Amino acid sequence: MEGIVRKFKSKFTGVEEESLILHELAKTEIIEIFIIEKNSGLLKANFSKSDTIDKEVLSAMLTAIKSFVEQAFNTGEEQLESIEYGLYHIHIQNFKSFYIAVILHGVYDSTYKSKLKSKLLVFVGKNISNTSNSNLNIKLAEAFNNGII
Amino acid sequence: MESSKKIVILGHFGVGKSSIIRKFVDNVFSTDYKVTIGVHILKKTVQIPNRKSISLIIWDLEGTDNLELINKTYLLGTHSFIYVYDVTRPLTFNTISEDLEILKTTYPSSLIKIVGNKVDLLSNSEKKSHQILFKVETYLSSAKTGENIEFLFQDIAQELDN
């Protein structure tokens, strides 16, 4: 059934069937989301599908890497927006006093990036200013499970 | 209830910053000297008397003889600084008052602790004269024997909780 749908899609969109298969295989999946205080690198909230490395140490390390890059290249107002390693990407979205790091794998093209940016903006607008840190974890999980992020 | 605090440990090269942290976090001491490049981050949760836990996120910075050269963004949002010197090398504490002044002026709301490390290399009389020499409150510690290490971090956790 999937094959037939793909054939139709290929015919109507003009995109080769092989490309569609590759795109499906590399479907984007969000692994973890971190909300991190910009200055201190302390973790404000986190949503994770796995329970591996210490989240607080990871938040601090990400902040150190971000600080190093921004300072080393003397980028002024420019801020680090993504890190890539193998098939994984870390999308970084900066706000005034915090930033959000989304760890994902799969396709991370400009279309996906732009959609993700908008979703995070909506989430922040709705939740961050009027939610305490303890509730933020719940809000983040809800947003993920409901497909808001 | 658990809260997190950022601790930054700084000082000259080879004063034992990383050894202090390794002793505190992993209870390990090694004489192999490995230079810290950039920053190394570790975490330990401590219990304070009112049954609260505090996560100390410790940023171990590479040694420097000039605080002005440290990447400033590493220092932002720090709840407590630990300034470490080597009690056997005057070069590492000659500029202590200037360095403390910089920290106090730039980060007025941060707690600052001064640690004289490698105290196991001093005799008792040397230890006493050292304490007289330093009028400011100093923790004389030894990463090798563990002297005052746990006490230092417990003090910091409690003071940050107040």
Side-chain angles (χ1 to χ4, degrees), chain B residues 77-129:
Chain B
T78 300
H79 295 98
S80 176
F81 289 103
I82 302 175
Y83 185 101
V84 185
Y85 67 89
D86 178 346
V87 290
T88 66
R89 286 161 54 213
L91 190 70
T92 66
F93 53 81
N94 280 344
T95 58
I96 201 162
S97 9
E98 292 93 323
D99 288 345
L100 290 180
E101 202 47 50
I102 293 173
L103 289 178
K104 279 179 192 164
T105 316
T106 324
Y107 309 96
S109 57
S110 306
L111 181 69
I112 302 172
K113 293 286 180 191
I114 306 148
V115 177
N117 192 36
K118 305 191 188 176
V119 77
D120 55 288
L121 300 175
L122 295 184
S123 65
N124 278 344
S125 58
E126 283 174 323
K127 220 169 162 178
K128 271 183 190 157
S129 52

Side-chain angles (χ1 to χ4, degrees), chain A residues 24-41:
Chain A
E24 280 168 22
L25 286 173
K27 206 177 165 188
T28 316
E29 188 191 4
I30 291 177
I31 315 286
E32 297 198 65
I33 307 170
F34 293 86
I35 303 178
I36 302 167
E37 279 180 17
K38 247 183 192 170
N39 285 347
S40 64

Side-chain angles (χ1 to χ4, degrees), chain A residues 5-120:
Chain A
V5 172
R6 199 183 300 119
K7 271 191 201 316
F8 271 109
K9 206 173 171 182
S10 171
K11 211 159 205 176
F12 285 110
T13 58
V15 179
E16 282 182 22
E17 212 179 330
E18 289 84 353
S19 303
L20 288 175
I21 294 171
L22 281 173
H23 202 273
E24 280 168 22
L25 286 173
K27 206 177 165 188
T28 316
E29 188 191 4
I30 291 177
I31 315 286
E32 297 198 65
I33 307 170
F34 293 86
I35 303 178
I36 302 167
E37 279 180 17
K38 247 183 192 170
N39 285 347
S40 64
L42 293 177
L43 184 64
K44 276 168 81 74
N46 160 253
F47 171 77
S48 178
K49 281 184 176 174
S50 61
D51 200 17
T52 48
I53 191 170
D54 189 294
K55 316 292 177 203
E56 289 190 290
V57 174
L58 188 73
S59 301
M61 279 310 300
L62 265 177
T63 309
I65 292 166
K66 193 172 173 303
S67 300
F68 171 76
V69 173
E70 289 165 0
Q71 185 89 4
F73 297 102
N74 200 14
T75 52
E77 288 301 301
E78 297 292 317
Q79 298 183 84
L80 185 68
E81 289 184 342
S82 70
I83 298 171
E84 290 187 19
Y85 58 105
L87 296 172
Y88 290 83
H89 307 272
I90 302 176
H91 168 88
I92 297 171
Q93 198 157 327
N94 294 289
F95 295 86
K96 197 180 172 198
S97 61
F98 62 92
Y99 67 94
I100 299 182
V102 181
I103 300 174
L104 47 96
H105 71 74
V107 177
Y108 178 63
D109 53 17
S110 54
T111 316
Y112 183 85
K113 206 169 163 176
S114 152
K115 271 186 194 169
L116 183 59
K117 272 186 173 180
S118 309
K119 285 176 175 181
L120 292 175

Side-chain angles (χ1 to χ4, degrees), chain B residues 16-17 19-25 27 82 115-118 139-156:
Chain B
K17 299 182 289 297
S19 298
I20 287 175
I21 295 174
R22 281 197 74 199
K23 187 70 182 179
F24 173 61
V25 175
N27 198 22
I82 302 175
V115 177
N117 192 36
K118 305 191 188 176
Y139 292 77
L140 291 180
S141 76
S142 165
K144 191 175 181 180
T145 64
E147 186 177 341
N148 274 338
I149 304 286
E150 198 72 38
F151 180 61
L152 163 74
F153 287 96
Q154 277 291 339
D155 264 8
I156 291 174

Side-chain angles (χ1 to χ4, degrees), chain A residues 117-134:
Chain A
K117 272 186 173 180
S118 309
K119 285 176 175 181
L120 292 175
L121 270 176
V122 171
F123 175 80
V124 168
K126 275 188 182 168
N127 298 291
I128 301 255
S129 54
N130 49 13
T131 308
S132 70
N133 276 8
S134 55

